[in-house]
Amino acid sequence: MWTDLDNAIKFEQAALVLRPQGHPDHAESVNSLFCYRQLKIEGQDASTQSAHPTGITSGSQFKYLIGDILFDILKGCPPRLLDTRTGKLCDRDSQIAQFEESGEYSQLLSSASALDALAQVPHIHQVVSTYFRYVTLSHRWGKLEPLLRDIEGQVIYDLDVTDGLRKLRSFCLTSFRRGYLWAWSDTCCIDKESSAELQEAIGSMFSWYRQSALTLVHLADVSDTGTLTSSAWFKRGWTLQELLAPRTMLFFTRDWLLYRNSSSNHKEDSAILGELEQATGITSRHLTHFHPGVDDARSRLQWASTRCTTRPEDIAYSLLGVFSLHIPVLYGESAENALGRLLAEVISKSGDTSILDWVGQSSVFHSCFPATITPYQSLPLPLPDLTTPPSTRIIRRLFFLRSVRKMHHALSNLPLAKFANFRLILPCIVHRIKAMNVTRVDTSTATHVHQIQAVGLTPIDIALSERLENATKGVPYVLIRPWHPSLLHSAIDTDDTSTHQLLARLEQPFSALLLKELPQRISEGCIILSYYCSSYGLCWCVERRS
């Protein structure tokens, strides 16, 4: 019995490795390990030992260990998968039951050894992971795509053929032929009638494609001799994350033939990778080593700016995985509202003010955001290279080093931009407009050209689709320059180089927002509150909906 206790202690120690604090079964493993150690420490006699819980055998404990690893791996998999051998849709319980009847499971049990439980964890993990490798399908939805209710409890290989079912069969057979037991398709593996499941699927879809062993892309509009760059697959919203997430991809033509007859990973095929760059405008670095997140948010918005979705609000939801964000999916809301909520979350997480640099119709969600994603097709102008400081003889007559240091300190202490409660809190430099007048009207384009004189700037001309109003008491507009810490160089010191670089940066052209000062309270529209700092024109600008 002492051997049984030693075995039990070893297995519970192995279980605790897989059940760290926070795991739902952590407390149970702790209690079991405590009881077993207590029995051994107290040195109970044989009669007392026989009273401890039965079933403490190396075989049963080994099953628990396999089960823990199994559940840990399946957490990252889609809850429903297609069995490519049988053509049946399997839920999580069916997947587990099938594994427990497999030869892989039997071999694991036959190798059970209480003395090396921890040593076998990597081997168990490899066996289970290999067994549950799955393939994902990326495609454009066509006519009569099979849904969950159409195939649940059925064998897809036995059902009447439709265009959608023929594609699903070919996908499963191709996956099976390449040695994969499991396959996943967004058409039939999600219960779209369950809002909770749909929300979870949309939030998890990027990770499902990322963790898949292989993604097969079916280009239904590309012939065997065609080129993939002509496919509408590159114009759909959801396929952006399906392109970026997988590590291994294969493109197939209309008749399920390998594109260019290349059987290796198409993300490692230089010729195909070049075509992908041409079709998407995405560099090979991002195509092969993409990391989700809000870094370089403007480029990610540009990638999506030429794409569309059947449901307009999906253009925002399809980017959640690309930005690694989680916001509620509210089907029925307007596309402007969905995009606005996404952009608000992006700026709150990153402080990236480049997403405010656009031209077009403003959103009803917030006037600093565009109504659609299309204005992001153009990237902002790149910042100039100031590694070689330009001549600043004129500037040096206007500023002293102490003043520049104070300016640097004020700029460096500004927090990142964020969005909360319909308020855009934006660190910026304000240029109050002293005077403005309309110098020209282009009737063919309905463009009004205004000359503006603003504090701290030389006179500039701006072209707008509307005529700015004049006020009897001052001009009710300000130009603001959104500020981000990345615009600063190293701390100012006694070296004039840093001083020149900061001043030269402030002299460069920049993208500005033109804001109108409105009353404190109005019944409709927006309220602009500007809190000015007396030094250096720094301020907070807050826009709020009434």
Side-chain angles (χ1 to χ4, degrees), residues 99-237:
F99 175 70
E100 292 176 345
E101 296 175 357
S102 69
E104 290 87 343
Y105 185 67
S106 298
Q107 290 178 6
L108 285 176
L109 290 181
S110 65
S111 65
S113 172
L115 299 178
D116 60 352
L118 287 174
Q120 292 205 50
V121 168
H123 174 63
I124 298 171
H125 196 280
Q126 180 183 10
V127 171
V128 177
S129 297
T130 301
Y131 182 86
F132 281 102
R133 294 182 309 164
Y134 64 91
V135 182
T136 48
L137 173 65
S138 179
H139 64 118
R140 284 191 64 201
W141 279 46
K143 296 179 179 179
L144 300 176
E145 294 284 358
L147 305 178
L148 174 68
R149 63 175 179 270
D150 299 322
I151 69 166
E152 202 165 24
Q154 306 290 328
V155 175
I156 64 170
Y157 300 133
D158 296 339
L159 296 176
D160 293 338
V161 177
T162 62
D163 288 344
L165 188 60
R166 182 180 291 107
K167 176 170 55 178
L168 185 63
R169 284 180 178 177
S170 297
F171 164 59
C172 288
L173 286 172
T174 301
S175 301
F176 175 68
R177 187 178 184 183
R178 302 188 75 84
Y180 298 97
L181 175 60
W182 305 103
W184 183 88
S185 171
D186 60 346
T187 56
C188 58
C189 295
I190 302 173
D191 184 2
K192 298 176 180 64
E193 295 180 359
S194 168
S195 58
E197 182 172 331
L198 185 59
Q199 170 91 34
E200 181 182 359
I202 290 175
S204 304
M205 206 170 296
F206 184 93
S207 66
W208 290 346
Y209 277 94
R210 170 56 57 91
Q211 295 180 45
S212 66
L214 171 66
T215 293
L216 303 184
V217 181
H218 182 240
L219 304 178
D221 53 354
V222 175
S223 67
D224 300 340
T225 58
T227 59
L228 61 77
T229 55
S230 63
S231 177
W233 184 85
F234 293 99
K235 299 298 181 183
R236 306 303 299 173

Side-chain angles (χ1 to χ4, degrees), residues 489-500:
H489 287 273
S490 58
I492 300 297
D493 50 31
T494 55
D495 184 2
D496 279 353
T497 300
S498 299
T499 305
H500 296 167

Side-chain angles (χ1 to χ4, degrees), residues 78-96:
R80 293 188 183 86
L81 292 169
L82 287 157
D83 184 334
T84 61
R85 292 181 301 185
T86 65
K88 291 183 177 180
L89 185 66
C90 297
D91 59 15
R92 185 71 82 230
D93 291 338
S94 298
Q95 296 165 30
I96 294 172

Side-chain angles (χ1 to χ4, degrees), residues 60 111 117 161 169 208 215 293 356 377 383 410 422 449 463 470-471 488 499 516:
S60 61
S111 65
V161 177
R169 284 180 178 177
W208 290 346
T215 293
L356 305 177
Q377 291 183 24
L383 291 174
F422 287 98
V449 179
N470 289 299
L488 284 175
T499 305
K516 179 181 179 182

